[in-house]
Amino acid sequence: MPDALSHTTLRECVERVMERYFSHLEGESVSNLYGMVLAEVEAPLLEVVMRNVGGNQTRAAELLGLNRGTLRKKLKQYDLM
């Protein structure tokens, strides 16, 4: 039996999760939503990329389209190095 997410795009997953997030707010105010979402997505993205390139920061930076200095800054920000 195929995984239910196997035919779901990243965009669809994000949309579904954001709709669920807003439906559970129950009137609570939110600020810095962009930063919160970016951090929730960026950290696991960096983790998976680093794992798949065997820790090679140069290769990871190329894969991500970042310069190596920016990658190192982000890895430190998320305590991934």
Side-chain angles (χ1 to χ4, degrees), residues 46-61 63 71 75 80:
L46 294 172
E47 269 186 283
V48 170
V49 167
M50 290 303 294
R51 192 168 42 248
N52 280 277
V53 297
N56 184 320
Q57 292 178 11
T58 300
R59 182 68 189 120
L63 246 171
L71 174 62
L75 292 172
L80 297 173

Side-chain angles (χ1 to χ4, degrees), residues 58-74:
T58 300
R59 182 68 189 120
E62 289 170 359
L63 246 171
L64 292 164
L66 300 173
N67 74 45
R68 195 166 171 274
T70 300
L71 174 62
R72 288 181 60 78
K73 177 181 163 191
K74 290 179 177 294

Side-chain angles (χ1 to χ4, degrees), residues 27-42:
E28 291 291 320
S29 86
V30 176
S31 63
N32 195 24
L33 181 62
Y34 181 80
M36 180 191 75
V37 170
L38 193 58
E40 287 293 316
V41 172
E42 196 170 41

